[in-house]
Amino acid sequence: LSQFCANDPEVFVQAALLAQDYCDAIDLNLGCPQMIAKRGHYGAFLQEEWDLLQRMILLANEKLSVPITCKIRVFPEIDKTVKYAQMLEKAGCQLLTVHGRTKEQKGPLAGVASWEHIQAVRKAVSIPVFANGNIQCLSDVEECIRKTGVHGVMSAEGNLHNPALFEGRNPLVWEMAEEYLEIVQKYPCPLSYVRAHLFKLWHHTLQVYQQLREELAKVKTLEGIVDVNRELKLRCQEEIANQKEGEKPKEGLPFFHWICQPYIRPGPKERCKENGASGTEKGVRGKRALEEEEDGNSELLSKNKQKKKLRNPNKSFDPSLKPKYAKCDQCGNPKGNKCVFNMCRGCCKKRAFKETADCPGHGLLFKTKYEKSLSWQSSQRVIQNPEISRRGAVDVGETAVLEAAGDS
């Protein structure tokens, strides 16, 4: 399965055509709730644009040789969610994955996913439906299938914290890390990807060994990450050897921290408590407080913002005091203050090129370069053939001139 985010039918299909020979299906991501999806206008931020989604799926069905599938988030209303799913099915979606949360339910506001929404969609459509949300262990998978009647189940964060989730096992964290690092050594990828995976896998253990957390954040090579895992393994094994009989896991965990297990996100109030004095006394770094709850009190600021506060004591993180940026007329990103078209640089560049215009605010000089190219072409023809100056102006082909302007 190859998944794409898109908001243009033609571009989506062009990209899918490149991938269709290497996968069994093409999936359209309509579930991403992150800010990057809002800025890029894709994912869950398309869920109100039914006409656009219909056109994208219809065109994909017409042009692709593999099935088109979709992953969605729900609306607060079950009825609207059902109509949304039926619209996608009618357009040609051949498998639907339903994440039982709204696009607003993310991060500390994630809450519990609604299996009731998923069940309603499953009953209302005839295509296969997969469920997503609230899957932390194998028993959750079985319960979800029983309650919703879905054909399959997906897991995101639960699987990242315990890669053996679907096997029904809870292995040692360093064993899973060793297996993962062997795969990375065989199939290299950016170090940031590796680091992100291990922060999830080692989450509970790194709350205990803060120094190793810092080392993982700073290490620059894969070999260095392997060394951090080796040190983590030694410390955990030493802790196991010194463990007292009958000792129970701390912090309310179902297993000891060196065992792969779920991480339950705390809500906003719990996060504030974690960031308070009690968290500092325990020596455990608290989670970042919600931005809207930050009132200038350094105990509620993230560590990064506390550093900025130390460098500039007068700096305020009050959201109401943030500067309001004018938006690009085309895409909604912040526009250039001196742009002649009132656009961001990307949109301005496309328009300036199309209209052979200048935008000094963005340093785009297509018109100027075009005119200089005309002048240069004319002078070169005169030098090569002096008779031209006596015959009058030379007709210079616009295509050649535009190419020269673009090259310059």
Side-chain angles (χ1 to χ4, degrees):
L1 181 72
S2 290
Q3 187 182 65
F4 291 87
C5 57
N7 57 23
D8 182 295
E10 294 290 343
V11 174
F12 170 49
V13 171
Q14 286 174 18
L17 285 169
L18 297 175
Q20 68 174 358
D21 292 338
Y22 306 94
C23 61
D24 295 321
I26 297 293
D27 188 71
L28 179 59
N29 180 350
L30 302 176
C32 181
Q34 303 302 328
M35 186 55 65
I36 189 172
K38 184 176 182 180
R39 288 197 298 266
H41 192 53
Y42 61 82
F45 297 94
L46 295 179
Q47 67 178 21
E48 295 285 358
E49 301 185 36
W50 292 14
D51 178 65
L52 171 62
L53 297 181
Q54 282 179 317
R55 288 189 285 113
M56 291 175 71
I57 297 169
L58 283 168
L59 186 63
N61 262 329
E62 179 187 339
K63 301 291 185 181
L64 300 178
S65 60
V66 294
I68 176 76
T69 68
C70 297
K71 183 181 180 186
I72 64 171
R73 285 199 167 220
V74 300
F75 290 96
E77 307 85 4
I78 291 180
D79 288 348
K80 188 172 182 180
T81 303
V82 167
K83 290 177 182 176
Y84 181 38
Q86 289 174 329
M87 177 275 293
L88 294 172
E89 179 186 26
K90 187 176 180 181
C93 174
Q94 297 179 50
L95 183 148
L96 192 61
T97 300
V98 184
H99 186 162
R101 293 184 174 92
T102 66
K103 70 176 187 295
E104 290 77 25
Q105 287 181 276
K106 58 183 179 180
L109 300 178
V112 178
S114 170
W115 286 357
E116 187 179 358
H117 281 69
I118 299 172
Q119 182 187 41
V121 170
R122 168 67 186 93
K123 291 180 178 179
V125 299
S126 58
I127 57 175
V129 175
F130 284 7
N132 186 206
N134 304 344
I135 306 300
Q136 300 288 356
C137 55
L138 189 59
S139 61
D140 293 333
V141 176
E142 296 161 351
E143 184 181 4
C144 182
I145 293 174
R146 180 174 57 82
K147 287 188 174 182
T148 64
V150 293
H151 301 82
V153 172
M154 287 189 179
S155 173
E157 287 204 337
N159 205 44
L160 288 172
H161 287 283
N162 179 14
L165 185 155
F166 285 97
E167 290 185 356
R169 296 190 301 119
N170 294 87
L172 297 166
V173 290
W174 67 80
E175 289 182 355
M176 285 287 93
E178 286 171 351
E179 184 176 335
Y180 170 65
L181 290 170
E182 286 178 7
I183 295 172
V184 173
Q185 287 170 331
K186 188 174 181 180
Y187 305 102
C189 66
L191 206 64
S192 60
Y193 297 3
V194 181
R195 207 191 315 269
H197 274 295
L198 293 181
F199 270 125
K200 293 285 187 183
L201 183 58
W202 292 343
H203 175 84
H204 298 292
T205 297
L206 292 178
Q207 303 306 305
V208 177
Y209 300 119
Q210 286 288 309
Q211 183 186 353
L212 292 179
R213 182 183 182 88
E214 299 295 335
E215 289 182 20
L216 177 60
K218 295 176 182 177
V219 68
K220 302 295 184 183
T221 64
L222 185 60
E223 291 73 20
I225 289 180
V226 171
D227 291 339
V228 174
N229 184 60
R230 189 178 297 114
E231 179 62 24
L232 178 141
K233 177 180 178 179
L234 290 173
R235 293 196 189 189
C236 288
Q237 287 178 332
E238 183 179 351
E239 190 174 343
I240 293 171
N242 296 328
Q243 193 175 3
K244 296 178 182 178
E245 187 176 349
E247 188 175 342
K248 294 183 178 180
K250 299 177 182 178
E251 304 297 333
L253 296 177
F255 305 105
F256 289 100
H257 65 81
W258 54 79
I259 295 174
C260 291
Q261 58 194 297
Y263 164 61
I264 309 299
R265 286 182 183 271
K269 291 182 180 179
E270 289 89 344
R271 288 166 73 89
C272 286
K273 289 177 182 177
E274 286 184 14
N275 283 345
S278 60
T280 306
E281 289 168 6
K282 293 175 185 177
V284 178
R285 178 184 297 171
K287 288 288 182 180
R288 181 173 299 174
L290 288 174
E291 187 173 297
E292 49 266 33
E293 293 181 1
E294 292 171 350
D295 59 1
N297 184 342
S298 63
E299 288 191 63
L300 292 181
L301 295 177
S302 67
K303 191 171 183 180
N304 187 39
K305 288 182 179 178
Q306 288 181 41
K307 290 178 181 177
K308 291 180 180 178
K309 192 82 173 175
L310 285 174
R311 291 196 295 268
N312 181 5
N314 297 321
K315 188 172 181 64
S316 172
F317 295 99
D318 186 347
S320 65
L321 299 179
K322 288 184 177 180
K324 303 297 182 183
Y325 295 103
K327 293 184 177 180
C328 168
D329 291 346
Q330 188 71 23
C331 69
N333 285 330
K335 73 166 187 174
N337 290 331
K338 298 179 181 179
C339 178
V340 298
F341 299 117
N342 291 318
M343 293 180 173
C344 66
R345 193 177 194 283
C347 295
C348 175
K349 186 175 182 180
K350 292 176 183 177
R351 180 166 174 179
F353 177 78
K354 185 177 180 180
E355 299 181 7
T356 318
D358 285 352
C359 178
H362 280 124
L364 302 172
L365 304 173
F366 290 105
K367 181 180 178 182
T368 300
K369 290 179 179 180
Y370 172 69
E371 291 173 347
K372 284 184 178 180
S373 181
L374 277 175
S375 176
W376 180 83
Q377 290 262 6
S378 180
S379 65
Q380 290 297 305
R381 295 290 295 270
V382 170
I383 292 172
Q384 293 172 7
N385 189 355
E387 291 296 321
I388 290 177
S389 60
R390 294 193 291 271
R391 292 201 306 266
V394 178
D395 179 24
V396 180
E398 279 196 15
T399 303
V401 173
L402 276 174
E403 287 178 357
D407 292 340
S408 62

